[in-house]
Structure formats: C-alpha cells, structure tokens
Amino acid sequence: MTTAGWIQAIVLFLAVLALTKPIGTYMARVFEGERTWLSPVFVPVERLLYKLGGVGEDEEMPWYAYLFAVLAFSFVSFVWLYALLRTQQWLPLNPQHFPAMAPDAAFNTAVSFMTNTNWQFYAGESTMSYFSQMAGLAWHNFVSAAAGIALAIALIRGIARTTVKTLGNFWVDLTRACLYILLPISIVGCLILVWQGVPQNFHAYETVKSIEGFSQAITGGPMGSQEVIKELGTNGGGFVNANSAAPNENPTPFSDWFEMLLILIIGAGLTYTYGKMVKDTRQGWALFTAMSILFFGALIVVYWAEAAGNPLI
C-alpha cells in the first residue's frame, strides 16, 4: 500500500469511528420502539403497513415463530425474483429488449439474492432489464439486508433478555430496518453518488463512437439507487458485471471512499447497538475494537504481500 492508501484507510476508519455511536444509538432506539427524528414521517407509513399485513406491532414471537417468519419471507422473496427474471421480456422498463433469464440462471440468481450472498455470474448490463434491476435485485438488496439486521437484533434480544422467552416480531423488525435505516441512508447516498456522476435514469444505452473510430455502448439506467443499497447492505450483484470497478458505478476517488464507508457503517453501528441493548456500552466498544483489529490486520497483510512482491489486490 502507498502512503496515500494508508491515509485513505485511516480517514475511513476515523469516519466509521465517528459514526458508530450515533448510528448505533439510533438503531437501538428504532428497534426498541422509541421515538426518533424520523418518526413523524414513517410512523404513519409503518402503521399502515402493519394494518395491511395484519401484523400486531406489540405481538412478540418466540424463537421458532421468528425463525418460521424469516424462512417464509425468504421463500416468497425467492419465488418473486425467480418469476420476475423468467418473465422480464414482457415487463416494462426494458429499453434494451433483453429476453428472460434461463431457468438455471434465474434459479441461481434468486437463491443467491435471497440469502444475501448475491453471486453474480451474469453481466447485468447485458442481461437485466431496468425493471429487474429495481423491482428484483435492488428490492432484494433491501429486504435481505433488513432480514439480516432483524436477525442480529433478535440475537441481541436473546442475549439481553434473561426471563422473557420472546425475541420481538420479525415483521416489525424487518419493516423498521427498511423504513428507518436502509431507506433514508439510501436516498441521501444516491444523491451523493449522482452528484459524483453515477447514472440515474431510464434512458436506453447510448451508442457513441470512440476516438479510435469503433462504436461503444455506454450503460445508463437507475444505477445510483441500486449502488447505494448494494454497498450499504453488503450485497453483491452490481448493476454492471464489473461492479464497483466500473467507472459508471464508481466514477471518482470520493465515490470510492464513500462506497467503502457505506459497506462498514451498519456493521460498525450494530456493535454499539448491542452495547445499548444489553445496557453495557463497553461490550459494544469491545466488539468494535475486535472489528478494528481485523480491519487493520487485513491492511497489514496486504502491505506485507505487496512488499514481498506478491500483491493480493
């Protein structure tokens, strides 16, 4: 690593450190049902969703009911994405007129996005319609990340509660993770990335002639909105095949730094959330310290490998 690389890593760490307590405190308030500064905006939406879904906000679940809800939601999510990918040629927002994905490819993609592994063995810019990218992949990036956060909160409750045999309500935790955490950060983050030059449109791809004289298709589409939640939820499956190595997804040094920040802030914040919910923030900082040791340990390994002439990245 160069000196500039070390400076970038240290600045990134300091930004994560500065955000860990406020984000962790905010998430603890959200999942404990306390009022936050976004409550006036989202409480009416939240209650409407519970009413439509027949969910009792104050009805908690034992561990087996919570687990069943997670698995049932994951199965329905899988079916939705598989069906969407198999029928995308008949759905709107497909200016490139891409055909449906093959059955095995659609099955693999749906399973990987359902489990938040997001294995991308396809080229998104030549396979997925805009509708599939938004209503399928970006939607899964939200809900699979929210389900992961909900499970982390359920685990924290299981550790913190010594007499109560319930872990909360999965549907409430899932809704709050999406509304109060992932959605607001994604909206602000999308505006930042669009400011940096990431496309956010519904135009067909632009065909241009290069300096050398050959034609090249420039990928457009609703890229910024998917990019933010991809990083924030630590998902894979970028809008294009090269993911954040592509200049459209990651056009500037600042966008590169910002996307790395998005990858880390939820995980870092959850360490402090843990401390708040078990009523001992020292335990949360201990978890954060362990995470920080892993972060800098990985950087040292990269540095040693480069010094030995065997670069890892």
Side-chain angles (χ1 to χ4, degrees), residues 120 122-125 133 219 223 237-243 246 248-249:
Q120 185 181 23
Y122 56 86
E125 66 270 41
Q133 295 274 20
T219 306
M223 196 176 298
F239 197 94
V240 300
N241 189 41
N243 276 264
N248 270 7
E249 284 197 24

Side-chain angles (χ1 to χ4, degrees), residues 39 71 83 113 121 166 178 225 238 242 270 306:
S39 294
L71 295 177
F113 273 79
F121 70 101
T166 57
C178 287
S225 54
L270 281 171
E306 290 179 347

Side-chain angles (χ1 to χ4, degrees), residues 1-10 299 302-303 306-307 313:
M1 286 181 63
T2 63
T3 301
W6 280 107
I7 293 173
Q8 183 184 46
I10 292 170
L299 292 180
V302 171
Y303 175 76
E306 290 179 347
I313 56 174

Side-chain angles (χ1 to χ4, degrees), residues 22-237:
I23 289 179
T25 301
Y26 173 75
M27 288 194 291
R29 293 180 64 86
V30 166
F31 291 111
E32 289 179 342
E34 299 178 10
R35 184 176 178 82
T36 70
W37 63 279
L38 284 175
S39 294
V41 177
F42 288 125
V43 165
V45 179
E46 184 184 1
R47 289 177 177 168
L48 176 62
L49 291 174
Y50 297 153
K51 185 176 181 179
L52 294 174
V55 175
E57 183 178 352
D58 298 323
E59 295 176 6
E60 295 210 349
M61 300 174 172
W63 70 267
Y64 52 85
Y66 202 104
L67 176 61
F68 177 79
V70 173
L71 295 177
F73 178 76
S74 298
F75 176 74
V76 172
S77 299
F78 157 77
V79 172
W80 158 252
L81 182 56
Y82 179 81
L84 190 155
L85 296 178
R86 293 288 295 132
T87 59
Q88 74 170 1
Q89 77 270 31
W90 298 309
L91 299 174
L93 296 177
N94 187 7
Q96 276 66 246
H97 306 291
F98 292 140
M101 288 187 78
D104 57 341
F107 182 89
N108 184 85
T109 302
V111 168
S112 68
F113 273 79
M114 174 193 71
T115 55
N116 204 25
T117 51
N118 307 92
W119 181 36
Q120 185 181 23
F121 70 101
Y122 56 86
E125 66 270 41
S126 60
T127 306
M128 298 288 185
S129 70
Y130 294 166
F131 189 79
S132 294
Q133 295 274 20
M134 293 189 302
L137 306 189
W139 181 81
H140 259 277
N141 284 346
F142 270 97
V143 297
S144 64
I149 294 171
L151 287 172
I153 295 300
L155 175 63
I156 294 171
R157 291 193 186 112
I159 295 171
R161 297 176 176 181
T162 57
T163 57
V164 181
K165 295 184 179 180
T166 57
L167 297 176
N169 187 309
F170 170 71
W171 307 111
V172 173
D173 292 339
L174 180 78
T175 301
R176 289 175 176 169
C178 287
L179 284 182
Y180 291 91
I181 298 168
L182 299 176
L183 184 60
I185 298 175
S186 294
I187 291 172
V188 175
C190 179
L191 293 175
I192 291 174
L193 289 183
V194 170
W195 166 56
Q196 288 295 296
V198 178
Q200 183 68 22
N201 57 59
F202 295 109
H203 302 158
Y205 297 171
E206 294 284 346
T207 300
V208 299
K209 184 160 289 188
S210 69
I211 297 175
E212 292 84 0
F214 60 85
S215 296
Q216 180 180 0
I218 304 298
T219 306
M223 196 176 298
S225 54
Q226 183 166 324
E227 185 69 17
V228 173
I229 190 58
K230 180 191 80 171
E231 312 295 3
L232 186 62
T234 62
N235 304 289

